[in-house]
Amino acid sequence: MIFKEIGDKNYPTIIFLHGGGLSDWSWKVIVDKFSDNYNVVTPIIDGHGENGNEEFISIEDSASKLINYIEKEKGGKVFAIGGLSIGAQILCEVLAQRPNITQYAIVESGLVIPLKGTTALTVPTSQLCYGLVKKRWFAKMQAQTLYVPDKLFETYYQDSLKISKQSLINITLSNGNYSLKNSITNTTAKILIIVGGKEISVMKKSATLLHNTLNGSSLYIVPKMKHGELSLVYPNQYIEKLEELFTL
């Protein structure tokens, strides 16, 4: 895992974990806002972008790498961690493994209920899709699904060329099979759970499960928005929600 860092290291640290198929650049507007008053870290998850040569193993493996970084570089605790999609799943795993690792946590569009048929369908589907990933027209379709701004499409496309077939398989398997660990109930973090009102049913069920499992957490169902749309398309609204959370 590669860790990009901006802002004074003496400031409180905020970590932002990107979604699948994206990279640190997807947080740029949010990083620019917070870096004046915070030390902001944007990891690049294994298998993505600049880290495409490093095979993605699992959500648990990624969580362990983030925990090791925080222990070695940040004294074992940070001010806040935000995660989108697979980044949100990694964040949930971090909270389950280290209950006191952060003061605040922002879980956006995190799937914590396993999808039926993931294991059986992943390999054949990935075999089919991997060739398409290299096609510009397919990347255009995917970029629209992921709400990648037009000005960042070329960056997204070049990053998508770097993912290996095995990483794609491992990401899909880990994402679809991930389930919430009981130990997450031990976390001391103040948690904001975000889900789009137009997301698929299992995503909204995951958000509700998280909210019901984590005493004191806040659930924000964003009206008329789809998967990850708040932070990716409306970063200023996302920033406002974080600033509200940080006053609690």
Side-chain angles (χ1 to χ4, degrees):
M1 196 178 278
I2 294 173
F3 296 90
K4 298 289 189 71
E5 193 167 351
I6 187 171
D8 194 321
K9 290 189 176 183
N10 294 314
Y11 289 160
T13 297
I14 302 178
I15 297 173
F16 292 110
L17 294 158
H18 63 80
L22 303 173
S23 192
D24 61 311
W25 45 261
S26 63
W27 292 109
K28 186 179 186 312
V29 174
I30 294 163
V31 169
D32 287 348
K33 167 65 177 179
F34 282 114
S35 60
D36 286 341
N37 299 299
Y38 295 92
N39 170 240
V40 184
V41 179
T42 48
I44 303 178
I45 299 166
D46 293 347
H48 294 75
E50 294 174 49
N51 208 15
N53 290 331
E54 190 70 27
E55 186 177 299
F56 179 92
I57 304 300
S58 67
I59 286 166
E60 290 79 5
D61 175 71
S62 296
S64 294
K65 288 176 178 176
L66 180 56
I67 290 168
N68 288 338
Y69 170 82
I70 293 172
E71 289 179 343
K72 291 179 180 178
E73 303 295 332
K74 302 299 174 184
K77 186 171 184 176
V78 295
F79 179 73
I81 307 175
L84 166 65
S85 194
I86 200 166
Q89 292 173 306
I90 293 169
L91 171 53
C92 286
E93 184 63 25
V94 167
L95 296 175
Q97 291 187 28
R98 293 290 189 278
N100 303 316
I101 202 165
T102 184
Q103 187 174 345
Y104 297 98
I106 307 94
V107 181
E108 183 182 8
S109 299
L111 178 67
V112 296
I113 299 172
L115 298 175
K116 294 180 180 179
T118 295
T119 302
L121 294 174
T122 290
V123 174
T125 303
S126 297
Q127 296 279 10
L128 175 64
C129 290
Y130 187 68
L132 293 175
V133 166
K134 309 295 184 182
K135 305 292 185 182
R136 183 175 287 271
W137 64 266
F138 186 78
K140 284 274 189 184
M141 291 174 56
Q142 289 295 102
Q144 290 175 356
T145 302
L146 295 169
Y147 300 104
V148 176
D150 289 342
K151 63 182 179 180
L152 290 175
F153 170 72
E154 194 59 35
T155 301
Y156 164 77
Y157 178 59
Q158 293 303 320
D159 277 1
S160 69
L161 296 176
K162 298 171 186 174
I163 189 169
S164 70
K165 185 185 292 186
Q166 192 58 53
S167 281
L168 181 61
I169 289 170
N170 292 347
I171 289 167
T172 307
L173 281 172
S174 198
N175 170 260
N177 286 325
Y178 186 73
S179 60
L180 199 63
K181 307 295 193 303
N182 290 334
S183 56
I184 198 171
T185 58
N186 296 322
T187 185
T188 59
K190 295 181 176 69
I191 299 174
L192 171 63
I193 301 154
I194 300 170
V195 68
K198 285 191 172 183
E199 295 205 46
I200 61 174
S201 176
V202 71
M203 294 303 306
K204 289 184 277 191
K205 287 179 180 177
S206 288
T208 301
L209 175 61
L210 270 169
H211 181 49
N212 291 339
T213 300
L214 298 166
N215 291 331
S217 64
S218 300
L219 174 60
Y220 179 41
I221 301 174
V222 195
K224 301 180 181 180
M225 289 196 191
K226 298 180 182 178
H227 189 76
E229 194 172 353
L230 183 65
S231 62
L232 292 170
V233 183
Y234 302 97
N236 289 323
Q237 291 185 32
Y238 180 85
I239 289 165
E240 288 176 8
K241 296 303 295 184
L242 266 61
E243 289 177 334
E244 289 175 12
L245 175 67
F246 296 163
T247 64
L248 298 178

